[in-house]
Amino acid sequence: IAQSCGSEDGVGNSRYQDLKNIVNSPKMNRLRLDMLTGVKNAECLKCHQHEEQGIKSFRNMINDEFGHHYDAINSTKEDGTIDDFKMRYFDIRFSNICNFKCRTCGSEFSSQWGAEMREHFDKNHPIVIHVDNNRGSVLQEVLEHIEYIDLAYFAGGEPLITEEHYILLEEMIKQKRTDIQLKYNTNLSTLKFKDKDLLKLWKNPVAISGEFSLAIIVGFIAAFISAFVCVRWLIHYVAHHNFVPFAWYRIIFGLLVLMTAYTGLVAWSN
């Protein structure tokens, strides 16, 4: 578990720690105290760099999204700990289970790649990785916080074939949490899982907004059309040409990266 997507180091491990203890870990306590005193914590470096470049950082977006909970900082103790932890946002990858093996992915986020790694590189490489080794403790803790959650981000693995995703959706519906915003990182290759029909869940007004349903439909159609056009063009091109232009493109782009990095124009490593 990390402080944010831009963090280099973790603050705990959900396989043997509960979330509340991780929230009150030394690194998290230090981070809270630094934020309250205006100190730029090293874990926030990427956000501060984006802001210095005039880019709206993830930190800015989170402040905009959850600014109405500002008074919660008053519960922070002198040592940085908090007793009344209420989860407002979750981004938990329950497992790496996935039905795709995308070229740009790896075994950390795809069980298909995990199987590939075990077959060809390391016979002991794990195929399926689970957030708490299937103890169920992380899911249970999240369920206990549904009444407080504002935003739920589902990713993976592939969330649409992840058991915990459906358990959480059904509990949100049960608790009538109509105000929870759902976000996904999904390949949208299937809308059914076991006896669950995702479209029926999404039609439920307490599960997902109409705007998001429209975005899913438009995004799916646009992605299909653009992929069809691009793949068709690429197949036609390589059938009548060689790969020399692609090689020159990579060489030129590589030189551009080196030049801008050397001159300091772009901080590619950050």
Side-chain angles (χ1 to χ4, degrees), residues 35-36 63 66-76 88:
M35 287 182 170
L36 290 174
N63 285 338
F66 301 100
H68 56 288
H69 293 302
Y70 182 81
D71 290 343
I73 66 174
N74 296 326
S75 64
T76 307
R88 305 297 182 180

Side-chain angles (χ1 to χ4, degrees), residues 5-207:
C5 57
S7 299
E8 297 294 338
D9 300 316
V11 294
N13 194 317
S14 59
R15 292 178 180 174
Y16 50 82
Q17 293 175 283
D18 61 52
L19 297 182
K20 185 172 183 179
N21 285 338
I22 294 174
V23 165
N24 283 312
S25 64
K27 285 186 178 180
M28 286 299 297
N29 296 340
R30 181 71 266 162
L31 179 60
R32 275 190 288 270
L33 292 177
D34 285 347
M35 287 182 170
L36 290 174
T37 55
V39 175
K40 291 185 177 181
N41 190 285
E43 295 300 328
C44 302
L45 176 63
K46 292 184 179 179
C47 278
H48 289 303
Q49 288 177 332
H50 287 162
E51 292 162 18
E52 290 168 1
Q53 295 170 4
I55 303 171
K56 189 171 185 178
S57 69
F58 186 67
R59 188 175 75 99
N60 294 147
M61 291 186 283
I62 289 296
N63 285 338
D64 291 343
E65 185 82 34
F66 301 100
H68 56 288
H69 293 302
Y70 182 81
D71 290 343
I73 66 174
N74 296 326
S75 64
T76 307
K77 296 182 178 180
E78 291 185 1
D79 62 354
T81 59
I82 53 174
D83 288 333
D84 190 22
F85 168 52
K86 295 178 180 177
M87 186 184 298
R88 305 297 182 180
Y89 163 69
F90 84 76
D91 174 358
I92 299 175
R93 319 300 169 93
F94 283 98
S95 79
N96 68 333
I97 293 176
C98 187
N99 55 340
F100 276 27
K101 188 167 59 176
C102 299
R103 181 68 175 173
T104 54
C105 195
S107 60
E108 183 180 0
F109 301 109
S110 170
S111 54
Q112 298 294 321
W113 273 117
E116 180 94 357
M117 290 292 291
R118 175 175 291 188
E119 180 180 357
H120 297 290
F121 298 100
D122 179 3
K123 64 179 182 180
N124 296 316
H125 194 283
I127 295 177
V128 176
I129 304 171
H130 196 272
V131 68
D132 59 11
N133 288 336
N134 289 303
R135 291 185 294 113
S137 57
V138 172
L139 174 62
Q140 184 57 44
E141 286 190 85
V142 177
L143 288 171
E144 293 171 359
H145 285 267
I146 282 181
E147 63 178 301
Y148 309 119
I149 293 174
D150 293 341
L151 172 60
Y153 177 60
F154 292 104
E158 171 49 50
L160 303 192
I161 57 173
T162 302
E163 185 88 40
E164 291 86 353
H165 162 247
Y166 293 92
I167 294 175
L168 287 168
L169 279 188
E170 291 181 331
E171 186 61 27
M172 291 173 188
I173 294 171
K174 180 180 177 181
Q175 293 191 28
K176 302 187 183 303
R177 283 303 317 274
T178 59
D179 55 337
I180 294 179
Q181 182 183 2
L182 305 182
K183 290 187 177 182
Y184 287 82
N185 187 331
T186 171
N187 58 42
L188 207 62
S189 61
T190 180
L191 296 175
K192 291 187 177 181
F193 176 75
K194 297 183 179 180
D195 62 338
K196 313 297 182 185
D197 188 324
L198 193 55
L199 287 180
K200 289 182 179 179
L201 289 173
W202 279 351
K203 285 179 182 178
N204 192 305
V206 301

Side-chain angles (χ1 to χ4, degrees), residues 199-247:
L199 287 180
K200 289 182 179 179
L201 289 173
W202 279 351
K203 285 179 182 178
N204 192 305
V206 301
I208 198 164
S209 68
E211 291 181 358
F212 190 82
S213 298
L214 178 62
I216 285 287
I217 295 171
V218 172
F220 181 80
I221 295 173
F224 176 82
I225 294 174
S226 60
F228 178 80
V229 172
C230 291
V231 171
R232 184 179 181 183
W233 174 86
L234 182 61
I235 292 176
H236 181 268
Y237 181 88
V238 297
H240 298 86
H241 302 81
N242 56 35
F243 289 95
V244 171
F246 296 98

